[in-house]
Amino acid sequence: TTRTPEFLGLAGNEGLFPQSGTKGDVVVGVLDTGVWPESKSYDDAGLGEVPSSWKGACTGFNSSSCNRKLIGARFFNRGYEAAMGPMDSSRESRSPRDDDGHGTHTSSTAAGAPVAGANLFGFASGTARGMAPRARVAVYKVCWLGGCFSSDILAGMEAAVADGCGVLSLSLGGGSADYSRDSVAIGAFAAMERDVLVSCSAGNAGPGSATLSNVAPWITTVGAGTLDRDFPAYVVLGNGKNYTGVSLYAGKPLPSTPIPIVYAANASNSTSGNLCMPGTLLPEKVSGKIVVCDRGISARVQKGFVVRDAGGAGMVLANTAANGQELVADAHLLPAAGVGEKEGSAIKSYVASDPKPTATIVVAGTQVDVHPSPLVAAFSSRGPNTVTPEILKPDVIAPGVNILAAWTGKAGPTGLAADTRRVEFNIISGTSMSCPHVSGLAALLRGARPEWSPAAVRSALMSTAYSTYSGHGAPILDAATGAAATPFDYGAGHVDPTRAVEPGLVYDLGARDYVDFLCALKYTPAMIAALARGKSYACAENKTYSVSSLNYPSFSVVYSTANSDAAGSAAATTVTHTRTVTNVGAAGTYKVDTPVSVPGVTVDVKPTELAFSVAGEKKSYTVSFTAAKSQPSGTAAFGRLVWSDGKHTVASPIAVTWT
Amino acid sequence: TEELRATYIVHMAKSAMPAGYTEHGEWYGASLRSVSGAKMIYTYDTLLHGFSARLTEREAGDMAAMDGVLAVNPETRYQLH
């Protein structure tokens, strides 16, 4: 990717991830739509021999497709064909070849080789490199035009772990089912037992609450944030006003003198004409004009085609309340600009009020050092965690908006069949893009800290994440509202990899801890055995298990308003969580930073000081949460517990909810 | 008419394999054949123990009731994010 290595502080800091001789040997397994092996992002110059432990292969590709960068490529389509019938080989490659682009984008984001002069039609130009540019990549094609079927996903995960991947990256989700019925959660549990870190996208169902996917505590769940880069475009109206939007249009510009502009709802016979759905625009009403369309229902890029095919000269695509002011860029085929909800309303009211409304669109190219950044992406799925409310998710956010990375040679940048353009790099958005950022960072950390468990790697990324802007300390904002975001939006915060490599303390977890968590959820022996392959796992009859005992790097406390008396004032309810931290740095004494404050809740940490004399030493502490009185159901309050030894800060978000 | 078939993922308790079998795959196959004429789509033996196959709802119910079967989960279609 371009820009995100700088944004994450990685560029020029390669030395921070000491070459412990294993970094290059961490293999990131990407379960997605496959790979375009001819992309320069899989160039293997400077990489050593493939690790001798590697058992992967390149099936369905000629052997030259794989090299010391792309060291494995497999495809799994039996479940897909069993469900959908034989695939159409004229449209889909019966091989790991990426017919879509998504898998090439995600795998190169995680561990692509540096490629100078990368850009999309001149936008976002720079040297594109993966988060772990020296890690190896193995792709497991489990997603097809018709979707990603869990029997194929499980087969792909099995192969990836058996081949020797150290990190699995899955930018896919299927809603949050119970862990014992969620194939990704099942595969991820067993992968964790085999010391493999599994990183998954949190979902794009935001900004509504309780919309997360992939919330199993043994999975690293990644939300999306924006970058300090934009692609501004100006919608200049006939009344002289102009509004800033976003555009990746690189073709023949519109004339600088404004041309007629029409709102799609007034150029259609359809009741949903405002959405510019296929077949709904009247050519006689849009020909040669700029058309204002509203986002929703159909893909943004498809709206551009609908306007172009109806003879429109350009498009202004307006956000709805759900997307707020978030500007997601698309490589439209006609002059187009996406605008925020406010700007869209202003433009529509001008179009409605002026007897002869006119406008033009001026594309301004790539702009960097945009602030404030990051914002939580409006589309990024949000907590609370509906499967287990006592586990705070997402874990972190990472760059996921307008990300440039490698693309397939089989589809155009919009992905639509009508788009015959071919590009080497494309700019797309989603938690699909933020997940491989974290997968690549996890590979960097695994290479630098090979002794760390997957849980310790995740803990390091969480406890060093930031939730405020550097300098002025204001909280990270939510693009959907423009207001401060919360841990339900960003989890522990935005990843900060240069600090993650020296986190000071980690919250470690192993398979037995997660089984105890399942025991607390009252899983039956059969459900536990289906998830956890080890036969030795069982719940002890005489033991009391608690979900909040899971040694997670964050806190989520759930009060039931049902416990409060008629007057709504529950007797002060105290909930106590215990945590154990492992020192992974030098000797030091950690103290609780500023007193923890959560509105309406008294937080008491004991002890307030933890002294470590050697690396590997473990210490425990308790946090007691006391709510003086009950709050209305649905209330949430947030805080942050920070331990510090003067050199490291070990931060944990706190979410308290009343249900 | 052929009852509707769907793909199910069958989780088996590896340690419950009857003595008569030397290979888990044999046991899985025999278990499948005892309730259905369907072909096996995949067998799994690294991250989980079991297999996937196209079963009718009734066959899935019969499978779930068999000894050594831990769970019979209907296949899920996941979407790219």
Side-chain angles (χ1 to χ4, degrees), chain A residues 76-78 82 146 148-152 158 171-174 180-183 190 194 201 203-204 431-432 533, chain B residues 7 9 11 15 41-49 52 54 70-81:
Chain A
F76 301 87
N77 66 343
R78 285 190 240 159
C148 322
F149 288 72
S150 52
S151 59
D152 292 325
E158 282 230 319
S171 289
L172 49 85
S180 66
R181 303 182 71 78
D182 177 345
S183 292
R194 306 272 294 252
S201 46
N204 302 338
T431 50
S432 273
R533 300 159 38 259
Chain B
T7 299
I9 292 152
H11 296 266
S15 54
I41 299 173
Y42 291 107
T43 56
Y44 305 104
D45 238 7
T46 304
L47 298 187
L48 62 141
H49 303 299
S52 49
R54 301 280 294 172
L70 297 167
V72 178
N73 287 342
E75 178 164 63
T76 309
R77 188 185 313 201
Y78 287 78
Q79 300 300 331
L80 293 166
H81 283 151

Side-chain angles (χ1 to χ4, degrees), chain A residues 109-161:
Chain A
T109 294
V115 180
N119 68 82
L120 171 65
F121 308 136
F123 291 99
S125 61
T127 296
R129 61 163 61 83
M131 295 304 104
R134 296 183 53 76
R136 320 290 181 140
V137 176
V139 300
Y140 299 83
K141 181 175 179 181
V142 297
C143 293
W144 304 84
L145 286 186
C148 322
F149 288 72
S150 52
S151 59
D152 292 325
I153 293 170
L154 278 173
M157 292 178 87
E158 282 230 319
V161 171

Side-chain angles (χ1 to χ4, degrees), chain A residues 41-130:
Chain A
S41 289
Y42 306 104
D43 184 281
D44 65 357
L47 288 184
E49 282 309 311
V50 173
S52 55
S53 57
W54 178 247
K55 300 188 185 66
C58 279
T59 53
F61 262 169
N62 47 44
S63 57
S64 63
S65 295
C66 285
N67 59 18
R68 296 194 301 271
K69 166 57 83 174
L70 179 61
I71 63 173
R74 297 181 188 272
F75 68 99
F76 301 87
N77 66 343
R78 285 190 240 159
Y80 176 51
E81 291 201 303
M84 308 284 278
M87 66 175 41
D88 173 354
S89 299
S90 67
R91 294 182 63 216
E92 297 197 82
S93 306
R94 195 179 288 273
S95 79
R97 184 165 291 281
D98 185 0
D99 303 311
D100 175 279
H102 191 274
T104 303
H105 200 277
T106 54
S107 56
S108 59
T109 294
V115 180
N119 68 82
L120 171 65
F121 308 136
F123 291 99
S125 61
T127 296
R129 61 163 61 83

Side-chain angles (χ1 to χ4, degrees), chain B residues 26-66:
Chain B
E26 272 177 63
W27 174 41
Y28 300 161
S31 304
L32 176 58
R33 283 190 296 276
S34 68
V35 297
S36 168
K39 276 194 316 162
M40 209 168 271
I41 299 173
Y42 291 107
T43 56
Y44 305 104
D45 238 7
T46 304
L47 298 187
L48 62 141
H49 303 299
F51 59 93
S52 49
R54 301 280 294 172
L55 304 174
T56 64
E57 208 166 308
R58 182 174 46 78
E59 289 170 345
D62 295 347
M63 181 62 76
M66 285 181 68

Side-chain angles (χ1 to χ4, degrees), chain A residues 123 231-233 245-250 329-330 332 334-338 361 363-365:
Chain A
F123 291 99
F231 308 103
V246 64
S247 179
L248 291 175
Y249 178 67
D330 298 302
H332 293 293
L334 80 170
I361 297 171
V363 178

